Amino acid sequence: MSFMCPTDGGEDGIRYPVLLLITLFQLVGSRAYGQDVSRLADCGTKIFKDINRTGKWSGKPPSSCAVKASVEKRPSGIFVTTWSVEEAEGGWIRTAFTGAMSYGEVAGKKALARAGKDIAVRARHLERCLNSITKVNDPLDCRDNAIKSYVVDEESGTETKRLVWLDDEGRHTVVEYAFGTTSSTPAPPVDLFSGQQLPPGTIINLRIRP
């Protein structure tokens, strides 16, 4: 069982004491974990390119990407989530990035290239915001929301998930930054449960909307 409390610093959320979150992020060390966002986005773009080339989801990221990955089909297009998990003092850190492309973008060469560039730009923007969050708890011009869960069932511990996104009505690009003190392997990022997650080897018809 877990109990969750929103910790959104936004004006329409419930404000949680910011010192708690600052302390939490300081526990994981001085490294700016936001730098992972661009790498994750690049691996996601490579997956889109692989789907364009083969017409299917292989079930694994490119060999050059030391990340975990998942592909979803949604009415608006294909969503690719890439994430990495690292050990931290007292627990673990999971950094995840989700980017989306329409079926038409994935199907075309030029459209795919333009969409990839757009994802890269947005990822760098989110990276700056996440770095600011981990340092001084300031999301800059990004939107963010944090939820802290208390696990009190089979094992004790806490897990804090922070979502960061651009509130500009642009392409779907979201970062999830999570830190946990439980000993279990962290679950996949939240975006994976919003659509139809594809099993390895799934053929994707890019010309027809699902």
PDB file of all heavy atoms in Angstrom, residues 92-128:
ATOM      1  N   TRP A  92      17.630   4.734  -5.369  1.00  0.00           N
ATOM      2  CA  TRP A  92      17.829   4.714  -6.818  1.00  0.00           C
ATOM      3  C   TRP A  92      17.230   5.965  -7.445  1.00  0.00           C
ATOM      4  O   TRP A  92      16.392   6.650  -6.851  1.00  0.00           O
ATOM      5  CB  TRP A  92      17.168   3.472  -7.445  1.00  0.00           C
ATOM      6  CG  TRP A  92      15.749   3.243  -6.997  1.00  0.00           C
ATOM      7  CD1 TRP A  92      15.318   2.406  -6.005  1.00  0.00           C
ATOM      8  CD2 TRP A  92      14.565   3.889  -7.498  1.00  0.00           C
ATOM      9  NE1 TRP A  92      13.953   2.486  -5.864  1.00  0.00           N
ATOM     10  CE2 TRP A  92      13.462   3.368  -6.771  1.00  0.00           C
ATOM     11  CE3 TRP A  92      14.338   4.836  -8.495  1.00  0.00           C
ATOM     12  CZ2 TRP A  92      12.144   3.788  -6.999  1.00  0.00           C
ATOM     13  CZ3 TRP A  92      13.030   5.259  -8.733  1.00  0.00           C
ATOM     14  CH2 TRP A  92      11.947   4.731  -7.990  1.00  0.00           C
ATOM     15  N   ILE A  93      17.688   6.253  -8.658  1.00  0.00           N
ATOM     16  CA  ILE A  93      17.163   7.374  -9.437  1.00  0.00           C
ATOM     17  C   ILE A  93      16.742   6.837 -10.797  1.00  0.00           C
ATOM     18  O   ILE A  93      17.468   6.070 -11.420  1.00  0.00           O
ATOM     19  CB  ILE A  93      18.213   8.468  -9.659  1.00  0.00           C
ATOM     20  CG1 ILE A  93      18.613   9.113  -8.342  1.00  0.00           C
ATOM     21  CG2 ILE A  93      17.701   9.537 -10.622  1.00  0.00           C
ATOM     22  CD1 ILE A  93      19.797  10.025  -8.465  1.00  0.00           C
ATOM     23  N   ARG A  94      15.565   7.222 -11.251  1.00  0.00           N
ATOM     24  CA  ARG A  94      15.118   6.874 -12.598  1.00  0.00           C
ATOM     25  C   ARG A  94      14.819   8.153 -13.362  1.00  0.00           C
ATOM     26  O   ARG A  94      14.036   8.989 -12.912  1.00  0.00           O
ATOM     27  CB  ARG A  94      13.856   6.004 -12.554  1.00  0.00           C
ATOM     28  CG  ARG A  94      13.399   5.558 -13.951  1.00  0.00           C
ATOM     29  CD  ARG A  94      12.075   4.824 -13.897  1.00  0.00           C
ATOM     30  NE  ARG A  94      11.015   5.704 -13.436  1.00  0.00           N
ATOM     31  CZ  ARG A  94      10.065   5.337 -12.589  1.00  0.00           C
ATOM     32  NH1 ARG A  94      10.038   4.119 -12.095  1.00  0.00           N
ATOM     33  NH2 ARG A  94       9.121   6.193 -12.219  1.00  0.00           N
ATOM     34  N   THR A  95      15.469   8.322 -14.508  1.00  0.00           N
ATOM     35  CA  THR A  95      15.209   9.463 -15.383  1.00  0.00           C
ATOM     36  C   THR A  95      14.593   8.931 -16.660  1.00  0.00           C
ATOM     37  O   THR A  95      15.131   8.010 -17.282  1.00  0.00           O
ATOM     38  CB  THR A  95      16.501  10.216 -15.708  1.00  0.00           C
ATOM     39  OG1 THR A  95      17.190  10.547 -14.498  1.00  0.00           O
ATOM     40  CG2 THR A  95      16.195  11.500 -16.471  1.00  0.00           C
ATOM     41  N   ALA A  96      13.453   9.483 -17.056  1.00  0.00           N
ATOM     42  CA  ALA A  96      12.738   8.989 -18.228  1.00  0.00           C
ATOM     43  C   ALA A  96      12.348  10.149 -19.138  1.00  0.00           C
ATOM     44  O   ALA A  96      12.110  11.270 -18.675  1.00  0.00           O
ATOM     45  CB  ALA A  96      11.489   8.224 -17.810  1.00  0.00           C
ATOM     46  N   PHE A  97      12.291   9.854 -20.431  1.00  0.00           N
ATOM     47  CA  PHE A  97      11.856  10.855 -21.408  1.00  0.00           C
ATOM     48  C   PHE A  97      10.873  10.207 -22.370  1.00  0.00           C
ATOM     49  O   PHE A  97      11.123   9.107 -22.881  1.00  0.00           O
ATOM     50  CB  PHE A  97      13.043  11.403 -22.199  1.00  0.00           C
ATOM     51  CG  PHE A  97      12.642  12.377 -23.283  1.00  0.00           C
ATOM     52  CD1 PHE A  97      12.443  13.718 -22.988  1.00  0.00           C
ATOM     53  CD2 PHE A  97      12.447  11.945 -24.588  1.00  0.00           C
ATOM     54  CE1 PHE A  97      12.056  14.613 -23.983  1.00  0.00           C
ATOM     55  CE2 PHE A  97      12.072  12.834 -25.586  1.00  0.00           C
ATOM     56  CZ  PHE A  97      11.870  14.166 -25.280  1.00  0.00           C
ATOM     57  N   THR A  98       9.761  10.876 -22.617  1.00  0.00           N
ATOM     58  CA  THR A  98       8.773  10.412 -23.593  1.00  0.00           C
ATOM     59  C   THR A  98       8.617  11.464 -24.681  1.00  0.00           C
ATOM     60  O   THR A  98       8.412  12.641 -24.396  1.00  0.00           O
ATOM     61  CB  THR A  98       7.405  10.166 -22.936  1.00  0.00           C
ATOM     62  OG1 THR A  98       7.528   9.157 -21.940  1.00  0.00           O
ATOM     63  CG2 THR A  98       6.391   9.702 -23.975  1.00  0.00           C
ATOM     64  N   GLY A  99       8.719  11.022 -25.928  1.00  0.00           N
ATOM     65  CA  GLY A  99       8.494  11.888 -27.074  1.00  0.00           C
ATOM     66  C   GLY A  99       7.498  11.236 -28.009  1.00  0.00           C
ATOM     67  O   GLY A  99       7.392  10.005 -28.066  1.00  0.00           O
ATOM     68  N   ALA A 100       6.746  12.043 -28.742  1.00  0.00           N
ATOM     69  CA  ALA A 100       5.706  11.517 -29.633  1.00  0.00           C
ATOM     70  C   ALA A 100       5.885  12.037 -31.051  1.00  0.00           C
ATOM     71  O   ALA A 100       6.378  13.146 -31.271  1.00  0.00           O
ATOM     72  CB  ALA A 100       4.328  11.911 -29.114  1.00  0.00           C
ATOM     73  N   MET A 101       5.501  11.212 -31.996  1.00  0.00           N
ATOM     74  CA  MET A 101       5.420  11.600 -33.405  1.00  0.00           C
ATOM     75  C   MET A 101       4.117  11.060 -33.970  1.00  0.00           C
ATOM     76  O   MET A 101       3.637   9.999 -33.549  1.00  0.00           O
ATOM     77  CB  MET A 101       6.587  11.030 -34.211  1.00  0.00           C
ATOM     78  CG  MET A 101       7.939  11.598 -33.915  1.00  0.00           C
ATOM     79  SD  MET A 101       9.164  11.047 -35.158  1.00  0.00           S
ATOM     80  CE  MET A 101      10.684  11.602 -34.386  1.00  0.00           C
ATOM     81  N   SER A 102       3.554  11.782 -34.936  1.00  0.00           N
ATOM     82  CA  SER A 102       2.364  11.279 -35.617  1.00  0.00           C
ATOM     83  C   SER A 102       2.764  10.129 -36.534  1.00  0.00           C
ATOM     84  O   SER A 102       3.945   9.958 -36.862  1.00  0.00           O
ATOM     85  CB  SER A 102       1.717  12.390 -36.444  1.00  0.00           C
ATOM     86  OG  SER A 102       2.544  12.739 -37.541  1.00  0.00           O
ATOM     87  N   TYR A 103       1.794   9.348 -36.968  1.00  0.00           N
ATOM     88  CA  TYR A 103       2.085   8.235 -37.868  1.00  0.00           C
ATOM     89  C   TYR A 103       2.682   8.740 -39.171  1.00  0.00           C
ATOM     90  O   TYR A 103       3.585   8.127 -39.740  1.00  0.00           O
ATOM     91  CB  TYR A 103       0.813   7.419 -38.114  1.00  0.00           C
ATOM     92  CG  TYR A 103       0.332   6.700 -36.880  1.00  0.00           C
ATOM     93  CD1 TYR A 103      -0.662   7.250 -36.072  1.00  0.00           C
ATOM     94  CD2 TYR A 103       0.887   5.485 -36.504  1.00  0.00           C
ATOM     95  CE1 TYR A 103      -1.094   6.605 -34.921  1.00  0.00           C
ATOM     96  CE2 TYR A 103       0.466   4.828 -35.352  1.00  0.00           C
ATOM     97  CZ  TYR A 103      -0.523   5.389 -34.566  1.00  0.00           C
ATOM     98  OH  TYR A 103      -0.927   4.749 -33.426  1.00  0.00           O
ATOM     99  N   GLY A 104       2.185   9.871 -39.646  1.00  0.00           N
ATOM    100  CA  GLY A 104       2.711  10.441 -40.880  1.00  0.00           C
ATOM    101  C   GLY A 104       4.155  10.880 -40.751  1.00  0.00           C
ATOM    102  O   GLY A 104       4.948  10.728 -41.684  1.00  0.00           O
ATOM    103  N   GLU A 105       4.510  11.420 -39.588  1.00  0.00           N
ATOM    104  CA  GLU A 105       5.891  11.845 -39.368  1.00  0.00           C
ATOM    105  C   GLU A 105       6.835  10.648 -39.371  1.00  0.00           C
ATOM    106  O   GLU A 105       7.926  10.698 -39.953  1.00  0.00           O
ATOM    107  CB  GLU A 105       6.003  12.608 -38.052  1.00  0.00           C
ATOM    108  CG  GLU A 105       5.424  14.011 -38.109  1.00  0.00           C
ATOM    109  CD  GLU A 105       5.456  14.711 -36.775  1.00  0.00           C
ATOM    110  OE1 GLU A 105       5.267  14.033 -35.726  1.00  0.00           O
ATOM    111  OE2 GLU A 105       5.640  15.945 -36.745  1.00  0.00           O
ATOM    112  N   VAL A 106       6.426   9.578 -38.700  1.00  0.00           N
ATOM    113  CA  VAL A 106       7.285   8.397 -38.659  1.00  0.00           C
ATOM    114  C   VAL A 106       7.412   7.755 -40.033  1.00  0.00           C
ATOM    115  O   VAL A 106       8.443   7.182 -40.373  1.00  0.00           O
ATOM    116  CB  VAL A 106       6.748   7.370 -37.640  1.00  0.00           C
ATOM    117  CG1 VAL A 106       7.665   6.158 -37.561  1.00  0.00           C
ATOM    118  CG2 VAL A 106       6.629   8.004 -36.255  1.00  0.00           C
ATOM    119  N   ALA A 107       6.374   7.889 -40.856  1.00  0.00           N
ATOM    120  CA  ALA A 107       6.377   7.251 -42.175  1.00  0.00           C
ATOM    121  C   ALA A 107       7.257   7.980 -43.185  1.00  0.00           C
ATOM    122  O   ALA A 107       7.792   7.369 -44.106  1.00  0.00           O
ATOM    123  CB  ALA A 107       4.953   7.161 -42.712  1.00  0.00           C
ATOM    124  N   GLY A 108       7.411   9.286 -43.043  1.00  0.00           N
ATOM    125  CA  GLY A 108       8.138  10.075 -44.039  1.00  0.00           C
ATOM    126  C   GLY A 108       9.560  10.386 -43.624  1.00  0.00           C
ATOM    127  O   GLY A 108       9.856  10.525 -42.441  1.00  0.00           O
ATOM    128  N   LYS A 109      10.448  10.518 -44.588  1.00  0.00           N
ATOM    129  CA  LYS A 109      11.860  10.793 -44.297  1.00  0.00           C
ATOM    130  C   LYS A 109      12.052  12.229 -43.807  1.00  0.00           C
ATOM    131  O   LYS A 109      12.649  12.468 -42.752  1.00  0.00           O
ATOM    132  CB  LYS A 109      12.697  10.553 -45.554  1.00  0.00           C
ATOM    133  CG  LYS A 109      12.692   9.118 -46.059  1.00  0.00           C
ATOM    134  CD  LYS A 109      13.368   8.182 -45.062  1.00  0.00           C
ATOM    135  CE  LYS A 109      13.455   6.769 -45.627  1.00  0.00           C
ATOM    136  NZ  LYS A 109      14.049   5.817 -44.661  1.00  0.00           N
ATOM    137  N   LYS A 110      11.557  13.207 -44.579  1.00  0.00           N
ATOM    138  CA  LYS A 110      11.749  14.607 -44.209  1.00  0.00           C
ATOM    139  C   LYS A 110      10.975  14.955 -42.944  1.00  0.00           C
ATOM    140  O   LYS A 110      11.486  15.659 -42.062  1.00  0.00           O
ATOM    141  CB  LYS A 110      11.339  15.516 -45.362  1.00  0.00           C
ATOM    142  CG  LYS A 110      12.240  15.415 -46.580  1.00  0.00           C
ATOM    143  CD  LYS A 110      11.811  16.393 -47.656  1.00  0.00           C
ATOM    144  CE  LYS A 110      12.740  16.319 -48.869  1.00  0.00           C
ATOM    145  NZ  LYS A 110      12.332  17.256 -49.946  1.00  0.00           N
ATOM    146  N   ALA A 111       9.746  14.469 -42.863  1.00  0.00           N
ATOM    147  CA  ALA A 111       8.930  14.756 -41.677  1.00  0.00           C
ATOM    148  C   ALA A 111       9.550  14.129 -40.434  1.00  0.00           C
ATOM    149  O   ALA A 111       9.535  14.730 -39.352  1.00  0.00           O
ATOM    150  CB  ALA A 111       7.510  14.229 -41.887  1.00  0.00           C
ATOM    151  N   LEU A 112      10.113  12.947 -40.594  1.00  0.00           N
ATOM    152  CA  LEU A 112      10.781  12.277 -39.476  1.00  0.00           C
ATOM    153  C   LEU A 112      11.979  13.089 -38.998  1.00  0.00           C
ATOM    154  O   LEU A 112      12.195  13.259 -37.790  1.00  0.00           O
ATOM    155  CB  LEU A 112      11.224  10.884 -39.904  1.00  0.00           C
ATOM    156  CG  LEU A 112      12.020  10.062 -38.884  1.00  0.00           C
ATOM    157  CD1 LEU A 112      11.149   9.693 -37.690  1.00  0.00           C
ATOM    158  CD2 LEU A 112      12.578   8.797 -39.528  1.00  0.00           C
ATOM    159  N   ALA A 113      12.751  13.613 -39.939  1.00  0.00           N
ATOM    160  CA  ALA A 113      13.930  14.412 -39.582  1.00  0.00           C
ATOM    161  C   ALA A 113      13.519  15.694 -38.856  1.00  0.00           C
ATOM    162  O   ALA A 113      14.135  16.079 -37.857  1.00  0.00           O
ATOM    163  CB  ALA A 113      14.736  14.735 -40.828  1.00  0.00           C
ATOM    164  N   ARG A 114      12.466  16.355 -39.355  1.00  0.00           N
ATOM    165  CA  ARG A 114      11.997  17.583 -38.699  1.00  0.00           C
ATOM    166  C   ARG A 114      11.487  17.296 -37.298  1.00  0.00           C
ATOM    167  O   ARG A 114      11.775  18.036 -36.350  1.00  0.00           O
ATOM    168  CB  ARG A 114      10.887  18.233 -39.541  1.00  0.00           C
ATOM    169  CG  ARG A 114      11.365  18.900 -40.823  1.00  0.00           C
ATOM    170  CD  ARG A 114      10.286  19.805 -41.385  1.00  0.00           C
ATOM    171  NE  ARG A 114       9.075  19.048 -41.729  1.00  0.00           N
ATOM    172  CZ  ARG A 114       8.844  18.526 -42.925  1.00  0.00           C
ATOM    173  NH1 ARG A 114       9.741  18.665 -43.899  1.00  0.00           N
ATOM    174  NH2 ARG A 114       7.728  17.873 -43.166  1.00  0.00           N
ATOM    175  N   ALA A 115      10.733  16.212 -37.152  1.00  0.00           N
ATOM    176  CA  ALA A 115      10.204  15.853 -35.841  1.00  0.00           C
ATOM    177  C   ALA A 115      11.337  15.510 -34.875  1.00  0.00           C
ATOM    178  O   ALA A 115      11.287  15.859 -33.691  1.00  0.00           O
ATOM    179  CB  ALA A 115       9.239  14.679 -35.974  1.00  0.00           C
ATOM    180  N   GLY A 116      12.374  14.828 -35.378  1.00  0.00           N
ATOM    181  CA  GLY A 116      13.516  14.493 -34.535  1.00  0.00           C
ATOM    182  C   GLY A 116      14.229  15.731 -34.028  1.00  0.00           C
ATOM    183  O   GLY A 116      14.643  15.787 -32.854  1.00  0.00           O
ATOM    184  N   LYS A 117      14.371  16.730 -34.891  1.00  0.00           N
ATOM    185  CA  LYS A 117      15.002  17.981 -34.476  1.00  0.00           C
ATOM    186  C   LYS A 117      14.153  18.701 -33.429  1.00  0.00           C
ATOM    187  O   LYS A 117      14.677  19.278 -32.467  1.00  0.00           O
ATOM    188  CB  LYS A 117      15.235  18.876 -35.691  1.00  0.00           C
ATOM    189  CG  LYS A 117      16.312  18.364 -36.641  1.00  0.00           C
ATOM    190  CD  LYS A 117      16.480  19.308 -37.822  1.00  0.00           C
ATOM    191  CE  LYS A 117      17.555  18.797 -38.777  1.00  0.00           C
ATOM    192  NZ  LYS A 117      17.720  19.680 -39.959  1.00  0.00           N
ATOM    193  N   ASP A 118      12.836  18.674 -33.630  1.00  0.00           N
ATOM    194  CA  ASP A 118      11.932  19.311 -32.675  1.00  0.00           C
ATOM    195  C   ASP A 118      12.031  18.630 -31.311  1.00  0.00           C
ATOM    196  O   ASP A 118      12.087  19.299 -30.270  1.00  0.00           O
ATOM    197  CB  ASP A 118      10.498  19.237 -33.207  1.00  0.00           C
ATOM    198  CG  ASP A 118       9.510  19.994 -32.327  1.00  0.00           C
ATOM    199  OD1 ASP A 118       9.898  21.020 -31.733  1.00  0.00           O
ATOM    200  OD2 ASP A 118       8.346  19.549 -32.234  1.00  0.00           O
ATOM    201  N   ILE A 119      12.068  17.320 -31.298  1.00  0.00           N
ATOM    202  CA  ILE A 119      12.206  16.582 -30.038  1.00  0.00           C
ATOM    203  C   ILE A 119      13.519  16.937 -29.347  1.00  0.00           C
ATOM    204  O   ILE A 119      13.564  17.127 -28.130  1.00  0.00           O
ATOM    205  CB  ILE A 119      12.104  15.066 -30.289  1.00  0.00           C
ATOM    206  CG1 ILE A 119      10.653  14.680 -30.588  1.00  0.00           C
ATOM    207  CG2 ILE A 119      12.624  14.276 -29.079  1.00  0.00           C
ATOM    208  CD1 ILE A 119      10.460  13.228 -30.944  1.00  0.00           C
ATOM    209  N   ALA A 120      14.592  17.040 -30.120  1.00  0.00           N
ATOM    210  CA  ALA A 120      15.899  17.370 -29.543  1.00  0.00           C
ATOM    211  C   ALA A 120      15.887  18.754 -28.898  1.00  0.00           C
ATOM    212  O   ALA A 120      16.428  18.946 -27.793  1.00  0.00           O
ATOM    213  CB  ALA A 120      16.978  17.298 -30.615  1.00  0.00           C
ATOM    214  N   VAL A 121      15.263  19.729 -29.559  1.00  0.00           N
ATOM    215  CA  VAL A 121      15.181  21.087 -29.015  1.00  0.00           C
ATOM    216  C   VAL A 121      14.372  21.099 -27.727  1.00  0.00           C
ATOM    217  O   VAL A 121      14.763  21.713 -26.723  1.00  0.00           O
ATOM    218  CB  VAL A 121      14.562  22.046 -30.049  1.00  0.00           C
ATOM    219  CG1 VAL A 121      14.237  23.397 -29.411  1.00  0.00           C
ATOM    220  CG2 VAL A 121      15.507  22.243 -31.228  1.00  0.00           C
ATOM    221  N   ARG A 122      13.253  20.417 -27.743  1.00  0.00           N
ATOM    222  CA  ARG A 122      12.396  20.387 -26.561  1.00  0.00           C
ATOM    223  C   ARG A 122      13.074  19.636 -25.415  1.00  0.00           C
ATOM    224  O   ARG A 122      12.925  20.000 -24.243  1.00  0.00           O
ATOM    225  CB  ARG A 122      11.046  19.768 -26.914  1.00  0.00           C
ATOM    226  CG  ARG A 122      10.266  20.566 -27.949  1.00  0.00           C
ATOM    227  CD  ARG A 122       8.977  19.881 -28.356  1.00  0.00           C
ATOM    228  NE  ARG A 122       7.978  19.921 -27.305  1.00  0.00           N
ATOM    229  CZ  ARG A 122       7.187  20.964 -27.042  1.00  0.00           C
ATOM    230  NH1 ARG A 122       7.283  22.072 -27.773  1.00  0.00           N
ATOM    231  NH2 ARG A 122       6.307  20.921 -26.074  1.00  0.00           N
ATOM    232  N   ALA A 123      13.826  18.597 -25.745  1.00  0.00           N
ATOM    233  CA  ALA A 123      14.547  17.848 -24.709  1.00  0.00           C
ATOM    234  C   ALA A 123      15.591  18.721 -24.029  1.00  0.00           C
ATOM    235  O   ALA A 123      15.753  18.669 -22.801  1.00  0.00           O
ATOM    236  CB  ALA A 123      15.194  16.613 -25.317  1.00  0.00           C
ATOM    237  N   ARG A 124      16.308  19.527 -24.817  1.00  0.00           N
ATOM    238  CA  ARG A 124      17.312  20.428 -24.216  1.00  0.00           C
ATOM    239  C   ARG A 124      16.650  21.447 -23.309  1.00  0.00           C
ATOM    240  O   ARG A 124      17.193  21.817 -22.255  1.00  0.00           O
ATOM    241  CB  ARG A 124      18.129  21.111 -25.309  1.00  0.00           C
ATOM    242  CG  ARG A 124      19.082  20.170 -26.035  1.00  0.00           C
ATOM    243  CD  ARG A 124      20.087  20.945 -26.863  1.00  0.00           C
ATOM    244  NE  ARG A 124      19.453  21.663 -27.965  1.00  0.00           N
ATOM    245  CZ  ARG A 124      19.279  21.169 -29.178  1.00  0.00           C
ATOM    246  NH1 ARG A 124      19.655  19.922 -29.449  1.00  0.00           N
ATOM    247  NH2 ARG A 124      18.712  21.891 -30.123  1.00  0.00           N
ATOM    248  N   HIS A 125      15.465  21.919 -23.707  1.00  0.00           N
ATOM    249  CA  HIS A 125      14.716  22.874 -22.888  1.00  0.00           C
ATOM    250  C   HIS A 125      14.323  22.215 -21.557  1.00  0.00           C
ATOM    251  O   HIS A 125      14.529  22.778 -20.475  1.00  0.00           O
ATOM    252  CB  HIS A 125      13.465  23.317 -23.658  1.00  0.00           C
ATOM    253  CG  HIS A 125      12.751  24.479 -23.054  1.00  0.00           C
ATOM    254  ND1 HIS A 125      11.917  25.300 -23.766  1.00  0.00           N
ATOM    255  CD2 HIS A 125      12.727  24.959 -21.776  1.00  0.00           C
ATOM    256  CE1 HIS A 125      11.412  26.231 -22.966  1.00  0.00           C
ATOM    257  NE2 HIS A 125      11.894  26.036 -21.755  1.00  0.00           N
ATOM    258  N   LEU A 126      13.781  21.005 -21.641  1.00  0.00           N
ATOM    259  CA  LEU A 126      13.399  20.281 -20.432  1.00  0.00           C
ATOM    260  C   LEU A 126      14.611  19.947 -19.567  1.00  0.00           C
ATOM    261  O   LEU A 126      14.527  19.942 -18.331  1.00  0.00           O
ATOM    262  CB  LEU A 126      12.664  18.993 -20.821  1.00  0.00           C
ATOM    263  CG  LEU A 126      11.260  19.190 -21.398  1.00  0.00           C
ATOM    264  CD1 LEU A 126      10.772  17.902 -22.042  1.00  0.00           C
ATOM    265  CD2 LEU A 126      10.287  19.653 -20.314  1.00  0.00           C
ATOM    266  N   GLU A 127      15.725  19.703 -20.210  1.00  0.00           N
ATOM    267  CA  GLU A 127      16.966  19.415 -19.494  1.00  0.00           C
ATOM    268  C   GLU A 127      17.375  20.600 -18.627  1.00  0.00           C
ATOM    269  O   GLU A 127      17.768  20.431 -17.461  1.00  0.00           O
ATOM    270  CB  GLU A 127      18.045  19.086 -20.512  1.00  0.00           C
ATOM    271  CG  GLU A 127      19.344  18.590 -19.950  1.00  0.00           C
ATOM    272  CD  GLU A 127      20.260  18.114 -21.070  1.00  0.00           C
ATOM    273  OE1 GLU A 127      20.982  18.952 -21.659  1.00  0.00           O
ATOM    274  OE2 GLU A 127      20.233  16.924 -21.379  1.00  0.00           O
ATOM    275  N   ARG A 128      17.276  21.807 -19.186  1.00  0.00           N
ATOM    276  CA  ARG A 128      17.617  23.011 -18.415  1.00  0.00           C
ATOM    277  C   ARG A 128      16.691  23.148 -17.208  1.00  0.00           C
ATOM    278  O   ARG A 128      17.126  23.482 -16.104  1.00  0.00           O
ATOM    279  CB  ARG A 128      17.529  24.253 -19.309  1.00  0.00           C
ATOM    280  CG  ARG A 128      18.600  24.325 -20.372  1.00  0.00           C
ATOM    281  CD  ARG A 128      18.653  25.704 -21.003  1.00  0.00           C
ATOM    282  NE  ARG A 128      17.421  26.020 -21.736  1.00  0.00           N
ATOM    283  CZ  ARG A 128      17.223  25.729 -23.025  1.00  0.00           C
ATOM    284  NH1 ARG A 128      18.167  25.096 -23.723  1.00  0.00           N
ATOM    285  NH2 ARG A 128      16.089  26.067 -23.630  1.00  0.00           N
TER     286      ARG A 128
END
